[in-house]
Amino acid sequence: MDNRPALIKALVADATHFADLGAAPVHADAAPATWEGIGASGPLAIVQPVTHAITDYYLTNPIARASETMATCSREFSGAAKMAAE
């Protein structure tokens, strides 16, 4: 491949989906009817602030939860064990 058109031609020969560069593919479940039934329309009620889904990054999997080192990281970085001021 000495130039861009030759490269694109070779890519399209191997993977035909590269022929539509610059166009977003349409998925079967992207129809508006699929999404209209989700949620309810109207103003948002600001009763509870938005928070992170993961409250303790250091204990997100069983291996980390079994680790003493990760338990220490969790205590120190999540604020679970606040140290008294000296």
Side-chain angles (χ1 to χ4, degrees), residues 8-76:
I8 291 172
K9 185 176 180 180
L11 282 171
V12 170
D14 284 341
T16 57
H17 61 278
F18 283 117
D20 296 328
L21 290 179
V26 178
H27 192 272
D29 289 333
T34 302
W35 298 101
E36 288 172 357
I38 298 174
S41 62
L44 291 176
I46 310 210
V47 176
Q48 184 175 3
V50 177
T51 60
H52 295 286
I54 298 173
T55 56
D56 191 347
Y57 170 80
Y58 297 98
L59 299 178
T60 56
N61 64 69
I63 295 170
R65 287 190 294 273
S67 165
E68 289 181 33
T69 301
M70 294 308 285
T72 301
C73 289
S74 174
R75 281 191 304 275
E76 291 184 16

